[in-house]
Amino acid sequence: MEAVRKIGNNIILSVELLFNKGFPNRLNPFYHLGSLTFFFFWVVLVSGIYVFIFFETSVAGAYPSVEYMTHDQWWLAGIMRSLHRYASDAAVISIFLHMFREFFRDHHRGVRWFSWITGVPTLWLVVILGITGYWLVWDQLAQYVALATAEMVDWIPMIPSAMVFNFLDNQITDRFFTLMAFLHLLGLPVALVFLLWTHVSRISQIDFNPPRPLATGAFLTLLVLSLLKPAVSHAPVQAGHSPMVLNLDWFYLNIYPLMDGMGPGWAWGISTGVTALLLMLPWLPSKKEQPAAEVNLEHCNGCGQCAQDCPYGSISMRRRTDGKKSEFEPTVNPTLCTACGICSGSCVSSSPFRMANATLKTGIEMPWFTVDALRQEVKSKLGALSGAGRVMVFGCEHGMDVTTLKDPGVAVVSLPCSGMLPPSMLDYVLKNGAEGVLVTGCRDGDCYHRFGNTWTEQRLSGAREPQLLKRVDRTRVVEFRVSDSSGERKALQQRLEAFRRSLSPSA
Ligand code: HEM
Ligand code: SF4
Ligand code: SF4
């Protein structure tokens, strides 16, 4: 499974690189698949409410009311119907891309298992929403969907009444139809909202909306599609006849051809098997996280910056318990902590200039990689630097593997996330033997730990606490973000060499 994930990761990195060449990174749709799905749901909701105004919830009235919208009021209700359909299809595409991406980029294991597991049932809910939607049109496709669904339900041994015969005899009643309408219009959407709220409840600072240009582009694409190829119904249901030619929506109705070809037992078996596999993925193999961050109250002034910066909402501020002056203190929920180290980069106490002759202690740190250990590593590597253009490179283990950069004039330190780097460490490095510092990590907009590279950029530019002091010569600091792909390895090498030449023009 890990081999599959790695192959998928390489593929997705290459595809995303192509998009990054065409768009600014910030607008890369692959970096916004969750929020794009929310956007498509908004379009589905608004267009659905409009369409519902005209829709008649009865077996006899449904088809003519949809036909009225499609042909008589094509210029608005018809467009709304098409938007409703195409936005639903787009949502399925973005959900699946989102799921594959989270898996390939290894965002599904460790403490992130919760978002993964709560994502899986959304797939079922969304597909059932689509199926009930097609059912409501009550055309020949709906008849096929109704018959095939009844056959699938009849296959379940616990359900005694033969549903399928009701449909064959065209016995569907207004009451049953109203039940479908209720499920589609209220029951399933409410369940989906609840599930999605649970899905993101463990993540902090979620962007529910994609960037405006991306949302505008997505909407215009749906609109153009709706104008060029308006959604239409099949022929009306014919009593006693099975439907002949059908244009299936493969995003929602793919289970039915499977059932036609292999029988309902196989269709159930494959769909439950795939679901079970998806539910097991976070533990195939499971990920061993490092121990959670620990708070050292005696070095904490209660500023709350660590709580603001934690990408997983694992830090909360509570009333101070040690009687010190500040009102609050941080507390870490270890079951949410991914051990990214971003909080120790946030803490003003993480300055390597403090406690120069003692073990450096900071307000919040990683027990397995303390800021003191980082300072020691930096110190010893600075001591080994030689030649002109001496540069210290800080890298993130999820971006480019910096340990491959071998040169007597280059020292490297790998971090769990570039966000673990306290800005004062750059000042320290430049005062203790390096002529320049290069900070690298995951691609812009694609931080493995969500905000590590954004926070680093903001700290170094002075837009976020703790800031890099003004006295630091900015020409000696470079940020260059790349993933571990072959093309980008070369780009990083070239950037590093150019930087080193700029530091020592005489070399
Ligand atoms: C209706 C469908 C879904 C919507 C609207 C949705 C939306 C979102 C959003 C907005 C986030 C937060 C992204 C961020 O701010 O970093 C997220 C995270 C996540 N989603 Fe979904 N999601 C859906 C379905 C799924 C499915 C089917 C799966 C996989 C089975 C999944 C797996 C995940 C995972 C693992 C994360 C956590 C990523 C992290 O911690 O960095 N989602 N989702
Ligand atoms: S290590 Fe990362 S996840 Fe854990 S508390 Fe610190 S910032 Fe939050
Ligand atoms: S950032 Fe440091 S000083 Fe501020 S609350 Fe967190 S641990 Fe305390």
Side-chain angles (χ1 to χ4, degrees):
M1 198 48 77
E2 201 43 14
V4 173
R5 191 191 67 71
K6 283 188 177 148
I7 295 169
N9 188 41
N10 287 337
I11 296 173
I12 199 134
L13 281 176
S14 316
V15 175
E16 288 177 2
L17 188 61
L18 282 181
F19 274 83
N20 282 342
K21 288 190 171 142
F23 297 87
N25 281 34
R26 166 186 95 72
L27 296 184
N28 188 329
F30 285 90
Y31 299 163
H32 304 281
L33 290 169
S35 59
L36 266 177
T37 311
F38 273 111
F39 175 73
F40 291 131
F41 281 147
W42 275 117
V43 179
V44 169
L45 180 74
V46 173
S47 54
I49 289 173
Y50 189 82
V51 167
F52 183 57
I53 298 171
F54 298 88
F55 184 71
E56 212 172 296
T57 316
S58 67
V59 176
Y63 186 81
S65 70
V66 177
E67 284 296 277
Y68 170 79
M69 285 184 253
T70 310
H71 301 291
D72 296 327
Q73 222 218 75
W74 64 266
W75 40 271
L76 188 55
I79 290 177
M80 287 295 198
R81 179 191 180 190
S82 301
L83 279 176
H84 193 67
R85 175 174 300 179
Y86 291 134
S88 320
D89 286 343
V92 172
I93 298 175
S94 59
I95 292 170
F96 274 89
L97 287 176
H98 169 61
M99 178 176 82
F100 283 120
R101 184 174 195 278
E102 298 301 333
F103 170 65
F104 291 149
R105 303 289 292 128
D106 202 12
H107 292 174
H108 65 301
R109 293 188 293 167
V111 300
R112 286 158 137 168
W113 67 270
F114 184 82
S115 297
W116 179 268
I117 291 293
T118 51
V120 177
T122 64
L123 298 174
W124 278 82
L125 276 192
V126 168
V127 169
I128 299 173
L129 246 176
I131 290 174
T132 49
Y134 276 102
W135 193 308
L136 288 186
V137 179
W138 206 235
D139 58 359
Q140 290 195 357
L141 178 63
Q143 194 188 10
Y144 166 75
V145 166
L147 274 170
T149 309
E151 236 178 287
M152 295 249 330
V153 175
D154 278 349
W155 184 86
I156 304 173
M158 274 93 73
I159 298 184
S161 74
M163 242 175 117
V164 70
F165 291 112
N166 287 339
F167 293 113
L168 285 176
D169 295 345
N170 210 26
Q171 292 290 304
I172 186 165
T173 60
D174 274 357
R175 263 185 82 187
F176 193 74
F177 198 81
T178 309
L179 171 71
M180 281 300 132
F182 168 78
L183 280 179
H184 184 75
L185 302 169
L186 200 64
L188 292 166
V190 168
L192 188 60
V193 168
F194 175 73
L195 204 54
L196 286 176
W197 170 77
T198 318
H199 179 59
V200 293
S201 61
R202 276 191 165 195
I203 313 173
S204 69
Q205 305 182 48
I206 299 151
D207 231 342
F208 287 106
N209 299 313
R212 199 167 287 184
L214 195 57
T216 312
F219 181 74
L220 289 178
T221 310
L222 294 177
L223 190 61
V224 170
L225 201 59
S226 302
L227 290 168
L228 291 181
K229 200 172 179 323
V232 288
S233 306
H234 286 64
V237 170
Q238 270 184 296
H241 283 77
S242 292
M244 300 300 289
V245 184
L246 297 170
N247 296 315
L248 280 191
D249 180 326
W250 286 94
F251 298 113
Y252 284 102
L253 308 178
N254 43 39
I255 190 80
Y256 298 117
L258 187 72
M259 193 201 72
D260 283 344
M262 304 176 82
W266 276 101
W268 276 119
I270 291 175
S271 42
T272 44
V274 169
T275 309
L277 177 68
L278 286 176
L279 289 172
M280 285 187 297
L281 276 185
W283 296 277
L284 293 177
S286 74
K287 185 174 179 176
K288 176 107 188 55
E289 302 274 15
Q290 297 282 13
E294 279 175 5
V295 175
N296 299 315
L297 270 190
E298 62 281 24
H299 298 276
C300 164
N301 66 16
C303 68
Q305 192 61 44
C306 53
Q308 277 185 42
D309 287 1
C310 174
Y312 303 98
S314 5
I315 307 177
S316 48
M317 300 300 288
R318 63 175 179 195
R319 293 246 159 244
R320 194 96 196 181
T321 52
D322 62 356
K324 279 215 178 144
K325 223 167 81 192
S326 75
E327 211 178 332
F328 297 106
E329 67 179 32
T331 167
V332 176
N333 178 347
T335 58
L336 298 182
C337 175
T338 61
C340 66
I342 291 179
C343 50
S344 55
S346 305
C347 185
V348 72
S349 306
S350 297
S351 166
F353 295 106
R354 286 177 66 235
M355 307 170 83
N357 301 318
T359 303
L360 171 58
K361 280 275 170 200
T362 188
I364 188 163
E365 59 187 347
M366 316 314 301
W368 51 278
F369 191 19
T370 60
V371 182
D372 188 66
L374 173 62
R375 181 172 70 177
Q376 280 173 29
E377 187 177 342
V378 164
K379 235 192 211 168
S380 82
K381 288 189 169 160
L382 282 175
L385 272 179
S386 62
R390 294 180 307 282
V391 168
M392 174 117 235
V393 178
F394 288 102
C396 149
E397 62 188 37
H398 301 283
M400 181 69 71
D401 178 8
V402 287
T403 57
T404 55
L405 300 169
K406 291 205 165 66
D407 189 289
V410 178
V412 298
V413 172
S414 185
L415 301 166
C417 175
S418 62
M420 184 182 169
L421 190 63
S424 47
M425 191 64 83
L426 275 64
D427 197 2
Y428 181 83
V429 160
L430 292 173
K431 285 212 164 90
N432 286 280
E435 293 168 85
V437 189
L438 188 146
V439 183
T440 181
C442 314
R443 286 175 187 161
D444 267 330
D446 183 31
C447 177
Y448 180 84
H449 285 298
R450 303 184 68 231
F451 302 127
N453 57 19
T454 312
W455 295 168
T456 304
E457 188 185 342
Q458 293 181 3
R459 290 169 190 162
L460 301 193
S461 70
R464 190 178 195 87
E465 296 296 340
Q467 301 178 20
L468 179 62
L469 289 183
K470 290 219 163 51
R471 69 172 181 225
V472 177
D473 178 357
R474 288 332 199 245
T475 62
R476 296 185 176 276
V477 177
V478 160
E479 289 178 75
F480 193 71
R481 303 184 200 289
V482 278
S483 74
D484 210 345
S485 71
S486 51
E488 288 173 290
R489 183 182 303 275
K490 204 161 146 214
L492 176 64
Q493 285 274 8
Q494 287 170 345
R495 185 68 191 90
L496 178 62
E497 288 316 314
F499 180 42
R500 294 181 69 198
R501 281 196 299 276
S502 77
L503 293 170
S504 53
S506 55

